[in-house]
Amino acid sequence: MDNISLIGMVSIFTAGLTMAVGSVGPALGEARAVAQALISLAQQPDEANTITRTLFVGVAFIETTGIYCFVISLILIFANPFWNYVTTKAGG
Amino acid sequence: MDNISLIGMVSIFTAGLTMAVGSVGPALGEARAVAQALISLAQQPDEANTITRTLFVGVAFIETTGIYCFVISLILIFANPFWNYVTTKAGG
Amino acid sequence: MDNISLIGMVSIFTAGLTMAVGSVGPALGEARAVAQALISLAQQPDEANTITRTLFVGVAFIETTGIYCFVISLILIFANPFWNYVTTKAGG
Amino acid sequence: MDNISLIGMVSIFTAGLTMAVGSVGPALGEARAVAQALISLAQQPDEANTITRTLFVGVAFIETTGIYCFVISLILIFANPFWNYVTTKAGG
Amino acid sequence: MDNISLIGMVSIFTAGLTMAVGSVGPALGEARAVAQALISLAQQPDEANTITRTLFVGVAFIETTGIYCFVISLILIFANPFWNYVTTKAGG
Amino acid sequence: MDNISLIGMVSIFTAGLTMAVGSVGPALGEARAVAQALISLAQQPDEANTITRTLFVGVAFIETTGIYCFVISLILIFANPFWNYVTTKAGG
Amino acid sequence: MDNISLIGMVSIFTAGLTMAVGSVGPALGEARAVAQALISLAQQPDEANTITRTLFVGVAFIETTGIYCFVISLILIFANPFWNYVTTKAGG
Amino acid sequence: MDNISLIGMVSIFTAGLTMAVGSVGPALGEARAVAQALISLAQQPDEANTITRTLFVGVAFIETTGIYCFVISLILIFANPFWNYVTTKAGG
Amino acid sequence: MDNISLIGMVSIFTAGLTMAVGSVGPALGEARAVAQALISLAQQPDEANTITRTLFVGVAFIETTGIYCFVISLILIFANPFWNYVTTKAGG
Amino acid sequence: MDNISLIGMVSIFTAGLTMAVGSVGPALGEARAVAQALISLAQQPDEANTITRTLFVGVAFIETTGIYCFVISLILIFANPFWNYVTTKAGG
Amino acid sequence: MDNISLIGMVSIFTAGLTMAVGSVGPALGEARAVAQALISLAQQPDEANTITRTLFVGVAFIETTGIYCFVISLILIFANPFWNYVTTKAGG
Amino acid sequence: MDNISLIGMVSIFTAGLTMAVGSVGPALGEARAVAQALISLAQQPDEANTITRTLFVGVAFIETTGIYCFVISLILIFANPFWNYVTTKAGG
Amino acid sequence: MDNISLIGMVSIFTAGLTMAVGSVGPALGEARAVAQALISLAQQPDEANTITRTLFVGVAFIETTGIYCFVISLILIFANPFWNYVTTKAGG
Amino acid sequence: MDNISLIGMVSIFTAGLTMAVGSVGPALGEARAVAQALISLAQQPDEANTITRTLFVGVAFIETTGIYCFVISLILIFANPFWNYVTTKAGG
C-alpha cells in the first residue's frame, strides 16, 4: 500500500461514484420535464413551438449538473494532478 | 495485497457499482416519459407525430446519463490508466 | 489472501451486485410503462396500434439499462481482464 | 481462510443476495401491471383480448430482469469459473 | 474458524436472508393484485370470471420470484456444492 | 469460538431475522387485501360471496411467503444440517 | 468469550429483535384493516355483521405473522436447542 | 469482559431496543384506527355504539403486539434464564 | 473496561435510546388523532362530547406505548438489576 | 480510557442524542395538530372555543413525550447515578 | 487519548449533532403551521385575529423542542459537569 | 494523535456537519411557507398585506433554527472552550 | 499521520461535505417557491408584481442557508484557525 | 501512508463526492421549475414572456448551489492549499 496504489484506488472509486450518483438527479429531472412537456403538448398543440423550445433550454440546464459530474470523473481518470505528482515522484 | 490486486479490486468493484447505480435513474426516468407519452397519445391521437418525436428526443437526453456510466464502467475495465501503469511497472 | 482470491472474490460479488441492483430500475420502469399502456388501451381502443408500438419501443429503451448491467456482470464472470492477468501470472 | 473458503463464501453470499434483491423489482413491477390490467378489464370488458395480450407480453419483459438474476445466481452456485479454478488448483 | 465453519455460517445466513428479503416483494405484489381484483369485482361483477382468471395467472407470475428465492434458499441448506466439497475433503 | 458456537450463533440469529423480516411483507399485504375487501363489501353487499372467496384465496397466496420464512426459520433451529454435522463431529 | 456467553448473547439479542421487528408489520396491518372497517361501517351500517366478521377473520390472519415471531422469540429464550447443547456440555 | 458483563450488556440493550422499536408500530396503528373512528363518528353519529365497540376491539388487537414486546422486554430484565445461569455459575 | 463501566455504559445508552425512539411513535400518533378530532369537531359540532371522549380514550391507549418506554428507561437508570449485581459484587 | 471517561462519554452522547431524536416527533406532531386547528378555525369560526381548547389539551399530550426525553436527558447530565458511583469510587 | 480529549471530543460532537438534528423537526413543523395559517387567512380574512393568535401560540409550542436542543447543546459546551470534573482533576 | 489534533478534528467536522444538516430543515420549511404565500396571494390579492406580514414573521421563526446551527458552528470554530483549554495547556 | 495531515484531511472532507449536503435543501426549496410562483402567475397575471417581489424576497431567505454552508466551507479551506495553529507550530 | 497520500486521497474523494451529491438537488429542483413552467405555458400562453423570464431567473438561483459545489470541487483538485502545503514541505 504505497502512495501510488492508494491514490490510484481512491481516484478510480471516486470517478465511478461521482458519475453513478451524478446520473440519478439529471435522469429523473429530465424525465420530469419531458413528461410534463408531453402533457402540455397534448393540452395545447398550438403552443408546440414555445413548449419544445422551453423544454430544450430547461433540459440543457438540467443536463449541466450531469456534465459537471462527467467532467470531474474524467479529470480524475485522465488528468489527475495527484496521480501525476506521485507517479512523477516514483519515476524520478 | 500488492498494488496490482488493490488497483484491480477497486476497478472491478467500481465498474460494477457505477453501472448498477447508474441504471436506476435512466430506467425510471425513461419509464416516466414513456408512460406520459402513452397518456398523451390516448388523449390527443392527432398529435401522435409531435408527441413521439418529442418523446424520442427526450429519451435520448435521458439515456445519455446511463451511457456516461456505461462509458466510465468500460473505461475502468478495458482502458484503465491506473491498471496499465501498475501492470507495466510490475512487468518491467 | 493472495491476489487470485482477492480478485476472484471481488469479481463474484460485483457481478452479483451489479445484476441485482440493476434489475430494480428496469423492472419498475417497464411495469410503469406497461401499466400506463393498459390504461391508454382501455381509454382509446382505436389507437391500440400506435400505443403498443410506442410501448414496445419505450420498453426496449428501458430494457437497455438492464442489459448494460447484465453485460457488465457476464464480462466480470467470463471475460474478466483482471482475473486473466493474475491467473496467467500465477500459472507462469 | 484459504482461497477455497474465501471464494466459496463470497459465491454463496452473492448468489443469495442477487436473487433476493433481484426478486423485489419484478414482483412489484408485475403486480403493478396485473393490477392495472384488472382495472382496465373492469372498464373495458370488450377489449379483454388486447389487454391480456399486452399484459402477458409486458409481464414477460419484466420477468426477464428477475430471470437474469436467477441465471447469475445459478451460475455462481453450479458453474462458477472462479470456484472451478481454485478447486482444480487445490486438487492438483 | 476452519473452512467448514466459514462455509457453513455463510450458507446459513444467506439462506435465511434470501428467503426473508425475497418474501417482501411477492407478498406486497400479490396483495396489490388481489386488492385491485376486489375493486374490479365490486365494479363489474359480471366479469368475475375474466377477472379472477387474470388475477390467478398474474399472481402465479408474481409468486415465481418468491419461489426462486425459496429454491435458492433450500439449495443452500440441503444441496450446497460448496459445503459438500469442504465436508468431503475434511472427511477424506 | 470453535465451530459449534459459530454455527450455533449464526443459526440463531438467522432464524430470528428471517422470521422478523419475513413477517413484514405478508402482514402489510394481507392488511391491504382485507382493507380492500371491506371497501368492496360496503360497495357491493350482493357480491359478498365472490368477494370473500377471492379474498381468502388471495390471502392464502400471500400467507405462503410468510410460511416459507417460518419453515426456513424452524429448519434452522430444529433440523439444521450444518449444526448436526458439527455436533456429530464434536461428539465423535 | 466462551461458547456459553456467545450463544447466550446471540439468543437474547435475536429474541428481542425478532419480536421488535415482527411487531411493526402486524400492528400497522391490523390498524389498516380496522380503520377500513370503520369506514365501511359508517357507509353501510346495514352490513355490520358481514363487515365485522370479515374484519376479525382478516385480523386473525394478519396476527398470525406476529404470533410466528412471538413463538420464535420464546423458543429462543426458553427452549433453545443450541443453548441446551452448550450448557449440557459445559455441565458434563 | 467475562460472561456476566457480556450477557448483562446484551440483555439491557435488547430490552430497551425491543420496547423502543416495538412501540412505534402500535402507536401509529392505534392512531390510525382512532383517527378513522373519529371520522366515522362525525359521518354517522347514529352508529356511535357499533363504531366505538369495533374500535376498542381493534385497538386491543393492535395493542397485543406492543404488549408482546413489553413482555419480552421485562422477561429479559427480570426473568432472564441466561443471566440466571451465568450468575448461578459465577456464585457457585 | 471492567464490568461496572461496561454495564453502566450500556444502561445509560439504552435508557436514552429507548426513550428517544419511543417518543416518535406516540407523538406522531397522538398528533394524528388530535388533528382528526379537530376536523370532526368542525364538521359535527353537535357531537363534540362523543368525539372528545373517544379522542381522550384513544390518546390514552396510544400514550401507553410511550409510557412503557419511559418505564423501561427509568428501570434501567434507577432499578437496574444488572447494575445492582455488579456493584454489589464489586463492593463485596 | 478508565471508567470515568467511559461513563462520562456515553452519558454526554446519550443526553444529546435523546433530546435530538426526541424533538422530532413532538415538533412534527404539534405542527400537524396546529395546522389542522387552523383549518378547522377557518371552516367553523363559531366553534373557536371548542377547537382551541381541544387543540391545547392535545398539544399538551403530545408535548409530554418531548418532555420525557428532556427529563431523561437532564437526569443523564446532572443526576446520573452511574456517574456518581464511579466518581465517588474514584474520589475515595 | 486521555480523559480530557475523550470527554472534550464527545462533548463537541454531541453539541453539534443535537442542534443539527434538533433543528429539522421544528423548522419543518413551524413551516407547516405557517403555511396552513396562510391558507386559512386567504379563506377567512375576517378571522385573521383568531388565526394569527392561534398560529403564534402553536409556533411557540413547536419552538420549545428546538429550544430544548439548543439548551442541551449550550450546556454541553459551556456548563458541562463532566468536562469540569476532568479538567479540575487534571489541574489538581 | 495528541489532544490538540483530536479536539481540532472533531471541532472541524462537527462545525461543518451542524451547519450542513441544519440548513436542510429551514430551507425546506421556508420554501413551503413562501410557496403557500404565493398561492394565497393569487387567491386573495386584497389580503396581500396580512399575508406577507404573516409570512415574514413565520419565516423569521423558521430561520431561527438555522441561525442556532450557524451560531453553534461558529462557536465551535472561533470560540471553542475545549480548543482553548488544550492549546493553552500545550502552550504552557 | 501527524497533526498536520489529520487536521488537513478533516478540513478538506468537512468543507466538501458541508457544501454538498447544504446545497440540497436550498435547491429543492427554491425550486418549490419558483414552481409555485409560476402557478400563481398563470392564475393571476395581474398580480405579477406582488408575486415576483414576494418570490425574490422568499428565495433570498432560502438562499441564506446555502450561503451559510458556503461560508463555513470557505472558512474551513482558506481561514481555518485549527490549520493555522498546527502549521504555525510545525513551522516554528 | 505519509501526509501526501493522505491529503491527496481525501482531496480526491471529497471533490467527487461534493460534485456528485451537489448535483442531485439542482437537477431535481430545476426540473421541477421547468415542468411547472411548461404547465403554466399551456394554461396561459399569453403570459409566455413573464413566465419564461421568471423561470430563467429562478433556475439561475437554483443553479447557484450546484455551481458552489462545482467551485469547491475544482478548488480541492487544482487550488488545494493543504496539498500545496504538504507537497511544498515534501519538496523542500
Side-chain angles (χ1 to χ4, degrees), chain G residues 2 5 16 31 35 38-39 42 63, chain H residues 3 18 29 36 40 44 61 64 89:
Chain G
D2 58 6
S5 69
L38 292 167
I39 295 174
E63 187 77 9
Chain H
N3 284 359
T18 304
Q36 190 55 56
S40 298
Q44 286 278 16
F61 260 107
T64 56
K89 209 160 126 180

Side-chain angles (χ1 to χ4, degrees), chain A residues 2 5 16 31 35 38-39 42 63, chain B residues 3 14 18 29 36 40 44 64 89:
Chain A
D2 57 6
S5 67
L38 293 167
I39 295 174
E63 187 77 9
Chain B
N3 284 0
T14 306
T18 304
Q36 189 56 56
S40 297
Q44 285 279 15
T64 57
K89 210 161 124 181

Side-chain angles (χ1 to χ4, degrees), chain G residues 1-2 4-5 7-17 19-24 26-28 30-32 34-39 41-45 48 52 55-56 59-60 63 66-67 70 73-74 76-78 80 83 86-88 90-91, chain H residues 1-3 6-7 10-11 13-14 17-19 21-26 28-30 32-34 36-37 39-41 43-44 47 50-52 54-55 57-59 61-66 68-69 71-72 75-76 79-83 85-86 89:
Chain G
M1 280 235 226
D2 58 6
I4 285 178
S5 69
I7 294 284
M9 275 160 51
V10 171
S11 299
I12 294 168
F13 183 71
T14 305
L17 185 73
M19 193 64 245
V21 174
S23 75
V24 174
L28 295 181
E30 291 170 15
R32 183 170 190 174
V34 171
Q36 190 55 56
L38 292 167
I39 295 174
L41 276 177
Q43 284 175 336
Q44 286 277 16
T52 53
L55 174 67
F56 292 138
V59 165
E63 187 77 9
I67 290 174
F70 194 48
S73 188
L74 290 179
L76 289 181
I77 297 179
F78 294 114
N80 189 328
W83 175 255
V86 293
T87 53
T88 305
Chain H
M1 279 234 226
D2 58 5
N3 284 359
L6 286 168
I7 294 284
V10 171
S11 298
F13 183 71
T14 305
L17 185 74
T18 304
M19 193 63 246
V21 174
S23 75
V24 174
L28 296 182
E30 292 171 15
R32 184 171 189 174
V34 171
Q36 190 55 56
I39 295 174
S40 298
L41 276 177
Q43 284 175 336
Q44 286 278 16
E47 294 296 317
T50 318
I51 289 169
T52 53
T54 309
L55 173 67
V57 174
V59 166
F61 260 107
I62 300 168
E63 187 78 8
T64 56
T65 62
Y68 291 168
C69 289
V71 165
I72 295 287
I75 286 173
L76 290 181
N80 188 328
F82 305 99
W83 174 255
Y85 180 89
V86 293
K89 209 160 126 180

Side-chain angles (χ1 to χ4, degrees), chain D residues 2 5 16 31 35 38-39 42 63, chain E residues 3 18 29 36 40 44 61 64 89:
Chain D
D2 57 6
S5 67
L38 293 167
I39 295 174
E63 187 77 9
Chain E
N3 284 0
T18 304
Q36 189 55 56
S40 296
Q44 286 278 16
F61 260 108
T64 55
K89 211 160 126 181

Side-chain angles (χ1 to χ4, degrees), chain E residues 1-85:
Chain E
M1 281 236 226
D2 57 6
N3 284 0
I4 285 178
S5 67
L6 285 167
I7 294 284
M9 275 161 51
V10 171
S11 299
I12 293 168
F13 183 71
T14 305
L17 185 73
T18 304
M19 194 63 245
V21 174
S23 75
V24 174
L28 296 182
E30 291 170 14
R32 182 169 191 174
V34 171
Q36 189 55 56
L38 292 168
I39 295 174
S40 296
L41 276 176
Q43 283 175 337
Q44 286 278 16
D46 299 342
E47 294 295 317
N49 282 342
T50 317
I51 289 169
T52 53
R53 202 179 51 225
T54 308
L55 172 68
F56 292 138
V57 174
V59 166
F61 260 108
I62 301 168
E63 187 77 9
T64 55
T65 63
I67 289 174
Y68 292 169
C69 289
F70 194 49
V71 165
I72 294 287
S73 188
L74 290 179
I75 286 173
L76 289 181
I77 297 179
F78 293 114
N80 189 327
F82 304 98
W83 175 254
N84 294 343
Y85 181 89

